[in-house]
Amino acid sequence: LNSMHGESVRLTKLVHDLLLLSKLDRTPRIELKEGRLDEVIRDMEPQLRILAGARQFDLDIEPQIECSFNTDKMKQVVLNLFHNAVQHTEPEKGQIRLSLVKKDGGVQLTVRDNGPGISESHLPHVFDRFYRSDSSRTRKYGGAGLGLAITKSIVNAHGGTISVESKEGEGSVFIIWLP
């Protein structure tokens, strides 16, 4: 019964993700408002600490970070990237660092982990839909490989960019820049 429940939760999430993705495809314009992104992320800290479990979690946020964004969508971006980092790091030895700084006339948000990293062959595809680097880890945790595709859609809708840097065995860093 338990595995069936897990399956249905996964399916529900998949359907939700797909609907969200198609909605973003149809309406790439999302409601953006000037605001303090640093405050939004600070407010998420308790939630992120719970998600991190026993992993070391560092939050490095410059104050007074203002830009145009959609609060709900940016929360989703942070959660997607953070959840990703949690899934790919060891529960005890995991280290995740989230930072938000002013950069190049905009705002840079990075999520860094000390997980197994992403191989060079997988790197160009991490933002593709349904793409999963076939590690036993990804299989274990499921996920349809939509989180990063959705994250990229949201970042694009903000007029921003997202990229990833990774070396196998050394972890990964996801870098978002918003105007």
Side-chain angles (χ1 to χ4, degrees):
L1 195 71
N2 205 358
S3 70
M4 253 179 75
H5 173 71
E7 240 358 78
S8 86
V9 167
R10 267 224 289 279
L11 273 173
T12 309
K13 186 176 174 343
L14 173 60
V15 170
H16 174 81
D17 285 354
L18 278 171
L19 288 172
L20 187 72
L21 205 56
S22 66
K23 214 162 94 184
L24 278 173
D25 281 352
R26 275 205 314 280
T27 54
R29 306 225 175 311
I30 53 182
E31 199 64 24
L32 303 181
K33 283 202 178 96
E34 275 291 316
R36 295 268 311 265
L37 193 53
D38 56 308
E39 286 178 358
V40 171
I41 294 176
R42 279 254 174 256
D43 290 345
M44 293 177 75
E45 186 177 353
Q47 207 181 349
L48 297 176
R49 294 224 173 264
I50 291 167
L51 271 174
R55 291 167 188 81
Q56 182 187 328
F57 169 40
D58 297 307
L59 202 52
D60 173 23
I61 296 183
E62 278 184 12
Q64 306 284 332
I65 298 264
E66 291 184 22
C67 62
S68 282
F69 62 92
N70 178 295
T71 302
D72 288 344
K73 297 284 183 241
M74 280 315 292
K75 279 184 177 177
Q76 192 180 358
V77 162
V78 171
L79 278 175
N80 272 344
L81 290 181
F82 196 82
H83 186 240
N84 221 27
V86 166
Q87 280 192 332
H88 293 94
T89 49
E90 295 299 324
E92 302 297 323
K93 297 195 188 82
Q95 292 172 359
I96 303 170
R97 182 182 192 85
L98 194 159
S99 56
L100 183 69
V101 297
K102 294 181 181 124
K103 177 133 197 224
D104 302 332
V107 169
Q108 185 175 281
L109 171 76
T110 52
V111 178
R112 183 183 295 275
D113 69 56
N114 68 338
I118 303 160
S119 72
E120 240 172 278
S121 60
H122 290 313
L123 219 43
H125 304 289
V126 293
F127 298 107
D128 299 354
R129 288 175 198 202
F130 299 117
Y131 187 83
R132 283 163 45 172
S133 59
D134 201 28
S135 66
S136 58
R137 195 113 193 147
T138 342
R139 279 201 300 276
K140 185 169 149 198
Y141 290 106
L146 279 169
L148 288 174
I150 289 172
T151 299
K152 188 182 167 88
S153 290
I154 294 173
V155 171
N156 289 349
H158 279 75
T161 59
I162 182 166
S163 59
V164 58
E165 290 168 12
S166 185
K167 277 205 180 81
E168 264 186 294
E170 291 180 26
S172 310
V173 53
F174 284 87
I175 303 148
I176 288 173
W177 182 85
L178 299 176

